[in-house]
Amino acid sequence: MVVVSAAISERVLDRLSQTQEAALDGLAETYLDGLSAAIVPAVMRGDVWEIFDALDRTTTAYRSLAPLETVVAGVDGRVLAASDPGRVATYSQLPADYVAQFGLRSVSIDSDTMAGSTRRDLVYQGQKVGAVFASFDVSHLFAERREILVTLLATNGMLAAAFALGGFLLVRRITAPLGVLESHMRSAANGMAQPIPPAGIPSRDREVASLFNGYNALVQAQRDSDRLATQLAEEERLASLGRLASGMAHEINNPLGGLFNAIGTLKAHGSAPGVRETSIALIERGLQGIRDVVAAALATYRPERSTRTFAVADLEDVRLLMTPELRRKRQRLEWSVDLGSGEVARVNGAPIRQALLNLLLNASAATPEGGGIALSAASRGGELRFEVRDEGPGLPPHVARILVASEPGPIVSAGGGLGLWMVRRTVDECGGRIAVADGPNGGTVIAMSIPIAQEERRFDAA
């Protein structure tokens, strides 16, 4: 609107200037025509007083033209008469620079002095007998231009403001539904996705209604996906627990067999010297083994009642829980832990322990019987760093993408990558990162880094 207003104002003022100059030229021509007809005989005779009389009469008759100064000169350039004899003396020679100010065909306007000037040669029967030099006051033209300019600026300014306000209100009304959608999308980005209520969907605006309905369908799909993910995660957890339970049964049955043997020995030979002490020690060791296996299983799969710090004991629980699976597949476990003893850092231990157990179970599943897997753990540079290695054929790219891609993509069915997705979710929640690489002797190396400082703040907040 500002550009349009400026263009319109420029064209109006330019046309006004042309009209004013054309009108001034017409008045000047009329003035010079009348003056020339009156003074040509006097100029030819050299009658100065008659020329003065003609100048006085024409000045009074052309007040609308507002003549400032009129000079009549002879053919030799000497002044015969002037409207202001005090400034331009009679019979004086006109200076060349004075003559150069006057145009021959139209009025020349000087914006500095606000004066217009023109000249007319006096001709009689084809012979030049003199010349008339006239200047006019054109200040009223500039005043009119200023008035028109102010009017244009005020009018165009009000129109521009009105159109701008109308456009703003119109665009604001048009984009109001997008503001509602933006608000819901920001809430969704913060983990609080809520569908737009039916009352907030305009029925008359089909495009906006279609957009809102599409967003609601997206929110519903996301909720269904979250429910499916939770269900599949629980199924994966139970499946892992089932796999370990079969191995734990052997770990518990073996001590139980020894316990029953010790009880039978006590019944038969309890009074013999040394038999009682030996049998009781055997029973105690067997019960301790059973207690350790059960405690590790409960610590891993029982829902956490409070936030608990990560400690070396969590890694021992993982090793204890992996023992039945490793024994079943006749695999070896290389163990390298450099974390000291006791609490390592104020980091929530349960999800990290579960993630490591999932990685080790996947490594054991990928490694053939008789092979080996490895776990290393260290605390360096404000991070907990874990590394799991296997001797399998390597992690397929579409499965590795679940761990390392910026967006893991849709969750697959249980047993087809869900365990890795749970690991990825755990690391993301801890603010860590995962890297996948090929092992030096084949297989896959999965590195997991958990920042201690960030997790300490989360632990304090909890």
Side-chain angles (χ1 to χ4, degrees):
M1 288 303 300
V2 172
V3 172
V4 171
S5 299
I8 292 175
S9 299
E10 189 276 334
R11 295 310 304 162
V12 170
L13 291 175
D14 181 69
R15 185 56 182 247
L16 176 64
S17 299
Q18 295 177 6
T19 303
Q20 288 178 334
E21 291 175 4
L24 183 62
D25 286 343
L27 288 174
E29 287 293 326
T30 303
Y31 172 75
L32 292 176
D33 288 341
L35 182 62
S36 299
I39 65 173
V40 165
V43 169
M44 294 178 62
R45 294 193 306 268
D47 190 344
V48 175
W49 297 110
E50 187 176 348
I51 297 175
F52 272 118
D53 181 63
L55 290 177
D56 290 338
R57 285 186 282 108
T58 54
T59 300
T60 303
Y62 290 92
R63 292 185 183 275
S64 59
L65 186 59
L68 293 175
E69 182 180 65
T70 304
V71 177
V72 179
V75 69
D76 56 357
R78 291 187 176 276
V79 177
L80 296 178
S83 58
D84 186 3
R87 202 178 79 85
V88 182
T90 303
Y91 299 120
S92 62
Q93 187 70 37
L94 283 175
D97 56 346
Y98 181 85
V99 175
Q101 301 178 50
F102 295 84
L104 289 175
R105 295 187 177 274
S106 60
V107 178
S108 302
I109 297 177
D110 188 350
S111 59
D112 294 331
T113 60
M114 293 188 182
S117 57
T118 187
R119 63 176 290 181
R120 170 72 65 85
D121 289 338
L122 300 176
V123 179
Y124 180 75
Q125 293 183 353
Q127 296 293 324
K128 179 180 177 181
V129 296
V132 177
F133 303 90
S135 60
F136 316 97
D137 181 15
V138 294
S139 59
H140 62 286
L141 301 182
F142 288 94
E144 184 179 7
R145 293 181 187 180
R146 284 194 300 271
E147 183 179 354
I148 296 296
L149 177 61
V150 171
T151 303
L152 285 172
L153 291 177
T155 303
N156 290 336
M158 288 188 293
L159 288 175
F163 280 117
L165 179 61
F168 171 77
L169 295 177
L170 180 60
V171 172
R172 185 173 183 179
R173 180 178 179 182
I174 293 174
T175 59
L178 298 181
V180 175
L181 182 61
E182 179 191 10
S183 176
H184 281 75
M185 293 184 69
R186 288 185 181 276
S187 299
N190 294 328
M192 298 178 293
Q194 295 293 333
I196 300 174
I201 300 178
S203 58
R204 297 182 179 179
D205 194 335
R206 295 183 178 178
E207 290 79 4
V208 174
S210 175
L211 182 63
F212 282 9
N213 289 328
Y215 171 78
N216 287 347
L218 178 63
V219 172
Q220 185 61 40
Q222 181 63 36
R223 289 182 174 181
D224 294 341
S225 176
D226 291 342
R227 284 195 295 269
L228 177 62
T230 303
Q231 180 181 355
L232 292 179
E234 186 63 23
E235 291 178 359
E236 175 72 9
R237 181 175 178 177
L238 294 176
S240 299
L241 181 58
R243 291 195 301 269
L244 289 177
S246 61
M248 288 175 58
H250 293 284
E251 292 296 312
I252 295 175
N253 280 332
N254 290 334
L256 284 177
L259 291 176
F260 283 117
N261 289 332
I263 292 174
T265 301
L266 283 174
K267 288 180 179 179
H269 309 285
S271 59
V275 173
R276 180 182 179 85
E277 290 78 9
T278 302
S279 298
I280 290 176
L282 180 61
I283 292 172
E284 184 178 6
R285 287 194 300 272
L287 290 175
Q288 287 177 349
I290 294 174
R291 181 192 63 187
D292 292 340
V293 172
V294 173
L298 288 176
T300 300
Y301 292 99
R302 181 177 57 194
E304 294 291 330
R305 291 184 174 87
S306 63
T307 305
R308 186 178 57 76
T309 55
F310 180 78
V312 176
D314 291 303
L315 295 178
E316 296 298 332
D317 290 344
V318 171
R319 179 160 63 174
L320 183 61
L321 290 170
M322 284 297 301
T323 300
E325 185 71 13
L326 295 173
R327 185 173 299 169
R328 184 179 65 83
K329 298 188 67 172
R330 299 190 301 278
Q331 294 173 341
R332 65 186 182 278
L333 173 62
E334 298 180 10
W335 194 261
S336 176
V337 176
D338 184 17
L339 298 176
S341 61
E343 291 186 0
V344 176
R346 299 191 68 187
V347 180
N348 194 356
I352 297 177
R353 183 181 57 210
Q354 181 66 39
L356 290 175
L357 183 58
N358 282 340
L359 290 178
L360 287 172
L361 286 173
N362 286 338
S364 176
T367 302
E369 291 190 9
I373 62 176
L375 171 67
S376 62
S379 176
R380 292 185 178 85
E383 290 183 332
L384 289 178
R385 299 182 181 180
F386 304 96
E387 193 173 273
V388 177
R389 299 187 299 275
D390 62 46
E391 295 180 357
L395 203 61
H398 71 279
V399 178
R401 185 178 182 276
I402 299 175
L403 293 174
V404 300
S406 57
E407 294 294 337
I411 304 170
V412 295
S413 60
L418 183 59
L420 295 180
W421 177 82
M422 293 172 63
V423 173
R424 167 64 183 272
R425 186 179 67 174
T426 297
V427 175
D428 287 344
E429 290 176 352
C430 295
R433 61 185 185 278
I434 301 178
V436 178
D438 295 331
N441 299 318
T444 304
V445 178
I446 299 178
M448 184 172 68
S449 301
I450 305 296
I452 296 175
Q454 180 177 356
E455 283 301 309
E456 285 181 351
R457 291 194 295 271
R458 293 185 178 182
F459 187 90
D460 293 337

PDB file of all heavy atoms in Angstrom, residues 181 184-185 188-189 193-196 210-227:
ATOM      1  N   LEU A 181      -4.311 -25.228  15.683  1.00  0.00           N
ATOM      2  CA  LEU A 181      -3.542 -26.419  15.315  1.00  0.00           C
ATOM      3  C   LEU A 181      -2.115 -26.320  15.836  1.00  0.00           C
ATOM      4  O   LEU A 181      -1.544 -27.315  16.324  1.00  0.00           O
ATOM      5  CB  LEU A 181      -3.549 -26.575  13.791  1.00  0.00           C
ATOM      6  CG  LEU A 181      -2.823 -27.802  13.236  1.00  0.00           C
ATOM      7  CD1 LEU A 181      -3.462 -29.083  13.749  1.00  0.00           C
ATOM      8  CD2 LEU A 181      -2.828 -27.787  11.712  1.00  0.00           C
ATOM      9  N   HIS A 184      -1.997 -27.171  19.568  1.00  0.00           N
ATOM     10  CA  HIS A 184      -2.091 -28.615  19.823  1.00  0.00           C
ATOM     11  C   HIS A 184      -0.815 -29.333  19.394  1.00  0.00           C
ATOM     12  O   HIS A 184      -0.386 -30.295  20.058  1.00  0.00           O
ATOM     13  CB  HIS A 184      -3.300 -29.192  19.071  1.00  0.00           C
ATOM     14  CG  HIS A 184      -4.613 -28.935  19.753  1.00  0.00           C
ATOM     15  ND1 HIS A 184      -5.230 -27.693  19.734  1.00  0.00           N
ATOM     16  CD2 HIS A 184      -5.412 -29.743  20.504  1.00  0.00           C
ATOM     17  CE1 HIS A 184      -6.361 -27.771  20.435  1.00  0.00           C
ATOM     18  NE2 HIS A 184      -6.495 -28.987  20.899  1.00  0.00           N
ATOM     19  N   MET A 185      -0.191 -28.885  18.307  1.00  0.00           N
ATOM     20  CA  MET A 185       1.034 -29.536  17.860  1.00  0.00           C
ATOM     21  C   MET A 185       2.184 -29.270  18.828  1.00  0.00           C
ATOM     22  O   MET A 185       3.027 -30.149  19.061  1.00  0.00           O
ATOM     23  CB  MET A 185       1.392 -29.060  16.448  1.00  0.00           C
ATOM     24  CG  MET A 185       0.406 -29.503  15.383  1.00  0.00           C
ATOM     25  SD  MET A 185       0.892 -29.036  13.707  1.00  0.00           S
ATOM     26  CE  MET A 185       2.309 -30.092  13.465  1.00  0.00           C
ATOM     27  N   ALA A 188       1.664 -31.555  21.569  1.00  0.00           N
ATOM     28  CA  ALA A 188       2.056 -32.906  21.159  1.00  0.00           C
ATOM     29  C   ALA A 188       3.569 -33.070  21.184  1.00  0.00           C
ATOM     30  O   ALA A 188       4.087 -34.124  21.560  1.00  0.00           O
ATOM     31  CB  ALA A 188       1.508 -33.206  19.762  1.00  0.00           C
ATOM     32  N   ALA A 189       4.298 -32.010  20.784  1.00  0.00           N
ATOM     33  CA  ALA A 189       5.759 -32.079  20.813  1.00  0.00           C
ATOM     34  C   ALA A 189       6.286 -32.219  22.232  1.00  0.00           C
ATOM     35  O   ALA A 189       7.364 -32.777  22.452  1.00  0.00           O
ATOM     36  CB  ALA A 189       6.355 -30.833  20.148  1.00  0.00           C
ATOM     37  N   ALA A 193      -0.120 -34.898  23.571  1.00  0.00           N
ATOM     38  CA  ALA A 193      -0.958 -34.792  22.374  1.00  0.00           C
ATOM     39  C   ALA A 193      -2.425 -34.989  22.755  1.00  0.00           C
ATOM     40  O   ALA A 193      -2.794 -35.987  23.376  1.00  0.00           O
ATOM     41  CB  ALA A 193      -0.542 -35.843  21.342  1.00  0.00           C
ATOM     42  N   GLN A 194      -3.225 -34.001  22.399  1.00  0.00           N
ATOM     43  CA  GLN A 194      -4.654 -34.050  22.672  1.00  0.00           C
ATOM     44  C   GLN A 194      -5.414 -33.768  21.380  1.00  0.00           C
ATOM     45  O   GLN A 194      -5.046 -32.856  20.634  1.00  0.00           O
ATOM     46  CB  GLN A 194      -5.053 -33.019  23.736  1.00  0.00           C
ATOM     47  CG  GLN A 194      -4.466 -33.278  25.111  1.00  0.00           C
ATOM     48  CD  GLN A 194      -5.023 -34.542  25.753  1.00  0.00           C
ATOM     49  OE1 GLN A 194      -6.146 -34.943  25.447  1.00  0.00           O
ATOM     50  NE2 GLN A 194      -4.244 -35.155  26.623  1.00  0.00           N
ATOM     51  N   PRO A 195      -6.469 -34.522  21.081  1.00  0.00           N
ATOM     52  CA  PRO A 195      -7.245 -34.234  19.863  1.00  0.00           C
ATOM     53  C   PRO A 195      -8.018 -32.939  20.009  1.00  0.00           C
ATOM     54  O   PRO A 195      -8.335 -32.496  21.120  1.00  0.00           O
ATOM     55  CB  PRO A 195      -8.184 -35.444  19.758  1.00  0.00           C
ATOM     56  CG  PRO A 195      -8.312 -35.940  21.169  1.00  0.00           C
ATOM     57  CD  PRO A 195      -6.993 -35.685  21.827  1.00  0.00           C
ATOM     58  N   ILE A 196      -8.301 -32.325  18.875  1.00  0.00           N
ATOM     59  CA  ILE A 196      -9.099 -31.106  18.870  1.00  0.00           C
ATOM     60  C   ILE A 196     -10.558 -31.492  19.110  1.00  0.00           C
ATOM     61  O   ILE A 196     -11.094 -32.359  18.409  1.00  0.00           O
ATOM     62  CB  ILE A 196      -8.942 -30.372  17.535  1.00  0.00           C
ATOM     63  CG1 ILE A 196      -7.471 -30.000  17.309  1.00  0.00           C
ATOM     64  CG2 ILE A 196      -9.806 -29.123  17.490  1.00  0.00           C
ATOM     65  CD1 ILE A 196      -7.191 -29.407  15.948  1.00  0.00           C
ATOM     66  N   SER A 210     -11.095 -30.508   7.391  1.00  0.00           N
ATOM     67  CA  SER A 210     -10.317 -31.656   6.922  1.00  0.00           C
ATOM     68  C   SER A 210      -8.944 -31.693   7.590  1.00  0.00           C
ATOM     69  O   SER A 210      -8.444 -32.758   7.970  1.00  0.00           O
ATOM     70  CB  SER A 210     -10.167 -31.599   5.398  1.00  0.00           C
ATOM     71  OG  SER A 210      -9.338 -32.626   4.928  1.00  0.00           O
ATOM     72  N   LEU A 211      -8.334 -30.490   7.754  1.00  0.00           N
ATOM     73  CA  LEU A 211      -7.022 -30.412   8.408  1.00  0.00           C
ATOM     74  C   LEU A 211      -7.114 -30.853   9.864  1.00  0.00           C
ATOM     75  O   LEU A 211      -6.291 -31.642  10.350  1.00  0.00           O
ATOM     76  CB  LEU A 211      -6.492 -28.985   8.311  1.00  0.00           C
ATOM     77  CG  LEU A 211      -5.110 -28.718   8.893  1.00  0.00           C
ATOM     78  CD1 LEU A 211      -4.050 -29.515   8.142  1.00  0.00           C
ATOM     79  CD2 LEU A 211      -4.781 -27.231   8.824  1.00  0.00           C
ATOM     80  N   PHE A 212      -8.130 -30.364  10.579  1.00  0.00           N
ATOM     81  CA  PHE A 212      -8.294 -30.726  11.991  1.00  0.00           C
ATOM     82  C   PHE A 212      -8.595 -32.218  12.138  1.00  0.00           C
ATOM     83  O   PHE A 212      -8.065 -32.883  13.041  1.00  0.00           O
ATOM     84  CB  PHE A 212      -9.416 -29.898  12.617  1.00  0.00           C
ATOM     85  CG  PHE A 212      -9.011 -28.486  12.955  1.00  0.00           C
ATOM     86  CD1 PHE A 212      -7.793 -27.981  12.538  1.00  0.00           C
ATOM     87  CD2 PHE A 212      -9.837 -27.653  13.688  1.00  0.00           C
ATOM     88  CE1 PHE A 212      -7.407 -26.685  12.827  1.00  0.00           C
ATOM     89  CE2 PHE A 212      -9.472 -26.355  14.002  1.00  0.00           C
ATOM     90  CZ  PHE A 212      -8.253 -25.871  13.564  1.00  0.00           C
ATOM     91  N   ASN A 213      -9.460 -32.749  11.273  1.00  0.00           N
ATOM     92  CA  ASN A 213      -9.774 -34.177  11.340  1.00  0.00           C
ATOM     93  C   ASN A 213      -8.535 -35.024  11.051  1.00  0.00           C
ATOM     94  O   ASN A 213      -8.339 -36.084  11.662  1.00  0.00           O
ATOM     95  CB  ASN A 213     -10.887 -34.522  10.353  1.00  0.00           C
ATOM     96  CG  ASN A 213     -12.236 -33.956  10.790  1.00  0.00           C
ATOM     97  OD1 ASN A 213     -12.511 -33.846  11.980  1.00  0.00           O
ATOM     98  ND2 ASN A 213     -13.073 -33.591   9.831  1.00  0.00           N
ATOM     99  N   GLY A 214      -7.712 -34.553  10.116  1.00  0.00           N
ATOM    100  CA  GLY A 214      -6.462 -35.271   9.847  1.00  0.00           C
ATOM    101  C   GLY A 214      -5.543 -35.268  11.056  1.00  0.00           C
ATOM    102  O   GLY A 214      -4.906 -36.282  11.367  1.00  0.00           O
ATOM    103  N   TYR A 215      -5.481 -34.132  11.764  1.00  0.00           N
ATOM    104  CA  TYR A 215      -4.654 -34.078  12.973  1.00  0.00           C
ATOM    105  C   TYR A 215      -5.207 -35.012  14.043  1.00  0.00           C
ATOM    106  O   TYR A 215      -4.452 -35.721  14.716  1.00  0.00           O
ATOM    107  CB  TYR A 215      -4.591 -32.642  13.496  1.00  0.00           C
ATOM    108  CG  TYR A 215      -3.946 -32.532  14.859  1.00  0.00           C
ATOM    109  CD1 TYR A 215      -2.565 -32.592  14.993  1.00  0.00           C
ATOM    110  CD2 TYR A 215      -4.721 -32.399  16.008  1.00  0.00           C
ATOM    111  CE1 TYR A 215      -1.972 -32.520  16.245  1.00  0.00           C
ATOM    112  CE2 TYR A 215      -4.136 -32.317  17.261  1.00  0.00           C
ATOM    113  CZ  TYR A 215      -2.758 -32.378  17.373  1.00  0.00           C
ATOM    114  OH  TYR A 215      -2.179 -32.307  18.615  1.00  0.00           O
ATOM    115  N   ASN A 216      -6.522 -35.013  14.224  1.00  0.00           N
ATOM    116  CA  ASN A 216      -7.122 -35.910  15.214  1.00  0.00           C
ATOM    117  C   ASN A 216      -6.840 -37.375  14.871  1.00  0.00           C
ATOM    118  O   ASN A 216      -6.586 -38.193  15.760  1.00  0.00           O
ATOM    119  CB  ASN A 216      -8.624 -35.668  15.296  1.00  0.00           C
ATOM    120  CG  ASN A 216      -8.962 -34.366  16.004  1.00  0.00           C
ATOM    121  OD1 ASN A 216      -8.099 -33.755  16.635  1.00  0.00           O
ATOM    122  ND2 ASN A 216     -10.193 -33.915  15.898  1.00  0.00           N
ATOM    123  N   ALA A 217      -6.890 -37.694  13.569  1.00  0.00           N
ATOM    124  CA  ALA A 217      -6.574 -39.071  13.167  1.00  0.00           C
ATOM    125  C   ALA A 217      -5.118 -39.400  13.480  1.00  0.00           C
ATOM    126  O   ALA A 217      -4.796 -40.521  13.895  1.00  0.00           O
ATOM    127  CB  ALA A 217      -6.855 -39.253  11.669  1.00  0.00           C
ATOM    128  N   LEU A 218      -4.235 -38.409  13.291  1.00  0.00           N
ATOM    129  CA  LEU A 218      -2.822 -38.624  13.616  1.00  0.00           C
ATOM    130  C   LEU A 218      -2.630 -38.863  15.112  1.00  0.00           C
ATOM    131  O   LEU A 218      -1.875 -39.753  15.530  1.00  0.00           O
ATOM    132  CB  LEU A 218      -2.007 -37.411  13.167  1.00  0.00           C
ATOM    133  CG  LEU A 218      -0.507 -37.442  13.476  1.00  0.00           C
ATOM    134  CD1 LEU A 218       0.166 -38.588  12.738  1.00  0.00           C
ATOM    135  CD2 LEU A 218       0.147 -36.117  13.094  1.00  0.00           C
ATOM    136  N   VAL A 219      -3.306 -38.067  15.947  1.00  0.00           N
ATOM    137  CA  VAL A 219      -3.201 -38.251  17.399  1.00  0.00           C
ATOM    138  C   VAL A 219      -3.718 -39.625  17.804  1.00  0.00           C
ATOM    139  O   VAL A 219      -3.107 -40.314  18.625  1.00  0.00           O
ATOM    140  CB  VAL A 219      -3.978 -37.131  18.127  1.00  0.00           C
ATOM    141  CG1 VAL A 219      -4.053 -37.413  19.623  1.00  0.00           C
ATOM    142  CG2 VAL A 219      -3.313 -35.776  17.895  1.00  0.00           C
ATOM    143  N   GLN A 220      -4.845 -40.034  17.210  1.00  0.00           N
ATOM    144  CA  GLN A 220      -5.398 -41.350  17.543  1.00  0.00           C
ATOM    145  C   GLN A 220      -4.452 -42.461  17.118  1.00  0.00           C
ATOM    146  O   GLN A 220      -4.250 -43.443  17.845  1.00  0.00           O
ATOM    147  CB  GLN A 220      -6.762 -41.517  16.857  1.00  0.00           C
ATOM    148  CG  GLN A 220      -7.491 -42.795  17.237  1.00  0.00           C
ATOM    149  CD  GLN A 220      -7.785 -42.876  18.721  1.00  0.00           C
ATOM    150  OE1 GLN A 220      -8.140 -41.888  19.342  1.00  0.00           O
ATOM    151  NE2 GLN A 220      -7.632 -44.065  19.297  1.00  0.00           N
ATOM    152  N   ALA A 221      -3.838 -42.301  15.926  1.00  0.00           N
ATOM    153  CA  ALA A 221      -2.881 -43.304  15.463  1.00  0.00           C
ATOM    154  C   ALA A 221      -1.662 -43.367  16.387  1.00  0.00           C
ATOM    155  O   ALA A 221      -1.133 -44.450  16.671  1.00  0.00           O
ATOM    156  CB  ALA A 221      -2.452 -42.999  14.029  1.00  0.00           C
ATOM    157  N   GLN A 222      -1.232 -42.194  16.855  1.00  0.00           N
ATOM    158  CA  GLN A 222      -0.097 -42.170  17.776  1.00  0.00           C
ATOM    159  C   GLN A 222      -0.437 -42.860  19.088  1.00  0.00           C
ATOM    160  O   GLN A 222       0.378 -43.606  19.647  1.00  0.00           O
ATOM    161  CB  GLN A 222       0.325 -40.722  18.033  1.00  0.00           C
ATOM    162  CG  GLN A 222       1.519 -40.558  18.962  1.00  0.00           C
ATOM    163  CD  GLN A 222       2.769 -41.171  18.404  1.00  0.00           C
ATOM    164  OE1 GLN A 222       2.998 -41.125  17.201  1.00  0.00           O
ATOM    165  NE2 GLN A 222       3.580 -41.778  19.255  1.00  0.00           N
ATOM    166  N   ARG A 223      -1.646 -42.627  19.583  1.00  0.00           N
ATOM    167  CA  ARG A 223      -2.064 -43.292  20.818  1.00  0.00           C
ATOM    168  C   ARG A 223      -2.138 -44.810  20.618  1.00  0.00           C
ATOM    169  O   ARG A 223      -1.706 -45.577  21.487  1.00  0.00           O
ATOM    170  CB  ARG A 223      -3.421 -42.752  21.262  1.00  0.00           C
ATOM    171  CG  ARG A 223      -3.364 -41.322  21.789  1.00  0.00           C
ATOM    172  CD  ARG A 223      -4.735 -40.857  22.248  1.00  0.00           C
ATOM    173  NE  ARG A 223      -4.658 -39.544  22.887  1.00  0.00           N
ATOM    174  CZ  ARG A 223      -5.707 -38.906  23.390  1.00  0.00           C
ATOM    175  NH1 ARG A 223      -6.906 -39.462  23.329  1.00  0.00           N
ATOM    176  NH2 ARG A 223      -5.557 -37.723  23.958  1.00  0.00           N
ATOM    177  N   ASP A 224      -2.690 -45.230  19.488  1.00  0.00           N
ATOM    178  CA  ASP A 224      -2.744 -46.667  19.208  1.00  0.00           C
ATOM    179  C   ASP A 224      -1.341 -47.251  19.128  1.00  0.00           C
ATOM    180  O   ASP A 224      -1.082 -48.357  19.623  1.00  0.00           O
ATOM    181  CB  ASP A 224      -3.498 -46.924  17.902  1.00  0.00           C
ATOM    182  CG  ASP A 224      -4.967 -46.544  17.995  1.00  0.00           C
ATOM    183  OD1 ASP A 224      -5.474 -46.437  19.134  1.00  0.00           O
ATOM    184  OD2 ASP A 224      -5.606 -46.347  16.943  1.00  0.00           O
ATOM    185  N   SER A 225      -0.426 -46.485  18.496  1.00  0.00           N
ATOM    186  CA  SER A 225       0.955 -46.961  18.392  1.00  0.00           C
ATOM    187  C   SER A 225       1.609 -47.060  19.759  1.00  0.00           C
ATOM    188  O   SER A 225       2.336 -48.022  20.042  1.00  0.00           O
ATOM    189  CB  SER A 225       1.757 -46.014  17.491  1.00  0.00           C
ATOM    190  OG  SER A 225       3.111 -46.384  17.442  1.00  0.00           O
ATOM    191  N   ASP A 226       1.351 -46.071  20.629  1.00  0.00           N
ATOM    192  CA  ASP A 226       1.921 -46.127  21.983  1.00  0.00           C
ATOM    193  C   ASP A 226       1.371 -47.312  22.763  1.00  0.00           C
ATOM    194  O   ASP A 226       2.112 -47.997  23.487  1.00  0.00           O
ATOM    195  CB  ASP A 226       1.629 -44.818  22.725  1.00  0.00           C
ATOM    196  CG  ASP A 226       2.385 -43.646  22.147  1.00  0.00           C
ATOM    197  OD1 ASP A 226       3.370 -43.885  21.424  1.00  0.00           O
ATOM    198  OD2 ASP A 226       1.985 -42.483  22.401  1.00  0.00           O
ATOM    199  N   ARG A 227       0.051 -47.541  22.636  1.00  0.00           N
ATOM    200  CA  ARG A 227      -0.522 -48.693  23.331  1.00  0.00           C
ATOM    201  C   ARG A 227       0.075 -49.999  22.810  1.00  0.00           C
ATOM    202  O   ARG A 227       0.386 -50.915  23.591  1.00  0.00           O
ATOM    203  CB  ARG A 227      -2.047 -48.701  23.161  1.00  0.00           C
ATOM    204  CG  ARG A 227      -2.759 -47.684  24.046  1.00  0.00           C
ATOM    205  CD  ARG A 227      -4.246 -47.976  24.104  1.00  0.00           C
ATOM    206  NE  ARG A 227      -4.893 -47.809  22.805  1.00  0.00           N
ATOM    207  CZ  ARG A 227      -5.443 -46.683  22.379  1.00  0.00           C
ATOM    208  NH1 ARG A 227      -5.438 -45.615  23.166  1.00  0.00           N
ATOM    209  NH2 ARG A 227      -6.018 -46.608  21.195  1.00  0.00           N
TER     210      ARG A 227
END
